[in-house]
Amino acid sequence: TAITVEATINALVSRVWKAITDKEDMKHWYFQLEEFNPEVGFEFKFYGGSKKKRYLHLCKITEVIPKKKLAYSWKYEGYKGESFVTFELFAQGNKTKVRLTHEGIESFPKDNPDLAKKNFVKGWTHIIGASLKKYIEEN
């Protein structure tokens, strides 16, 4: 039951790749990361959630194909379950199609409404279709 979100961004693949792999770019459209290095095995963490409850996200990069694919594990400190996030980039002339896939959400605790699939769908749709697109096209 993977989530897939796609958006076409009016920018070259090289610009989109920089936006999804450079921590200075990422802080404008994604999360505030202390460190990020697009290499297999690199581990990073960040806080996210709502005003009521914050979650420490623990991630580890599992695959990097420069300007094509970035994948990493995604889990939460103190909670069972592990999922996987994949960004894929497809050149379309002067534009880039971004496809985000998030798999394994069903492994998270069912009794936590914050970790419900609908929240991930809403979050990724906003992050990919609005935040990332706007950031790249306006900068």
Side-chain angles (χ1 to χ4, degrees), residues 28-139:
H28 294 284
W29 66 271
Y30 194 51
F31 294 95
Q32 190 75 34
L33 305 179
E34 289 182 24
E35 294 297 328
F36 188 84
N37 192 356
E39 64 181 38
V40 172
F42 183 82
E43 296 182 27
F44 62 100
K45 58 187 174 183
F46 59 92
Y47 280 96
S50 65
K51 293 176 183 173
K52 295 178 184 176
K53 176 84 173 145
R54 291 174 37 90
Y55 296 89
L56 181 59
H57 297 63
L58 305 172
C59 304
K60 184 175 183 178
I61 297 179
T62 57
E63 187 175 7
V64 178
I65 303 172
K67 299 181 184 173
K68 292 185 187 291
K69 188 175 187 180
L70 175 69
Y72 48 86
S73 62
W74 170 297
K75 58 186 178 179
Y76 298 99
E77 184 178 66
Y79 294 87
K80 291 181 180 180
E82 182 175 33
S83 63
F84 297 90
V85 173
T86 304
F87 287 84
E88 295 174 281
L89 307 181
F90 304 92
Q92 296 183 328
N94 289 333
K95 297 180 180 185
T96 303
K97 181 169 85 172
V98 178
R99 177 186 299 140
L100 177 125
T101 305
H102 195 159
E103 301 173 276
I105 293 166
E106 66 279 357
S107 71
F108 296 139
K110 306 281 185 272
D111 61 349
N112 186 335
D114 290 342
L115 304 180
K117 182 177 180 178
K118 67 179 182 178
N119 293 330
F120 287 97
V121 171
K122 182 179 177 184
W124 285 123
T125 299
H126 176 75
I127 288 170
I128 300 303
S131 296
L132 176 63
K133 183 176 174 65
K134 181 178 180 184
Y135 173 70
I136 292 173
E137 292 181 353
E138 293 183 1
N139 291 283

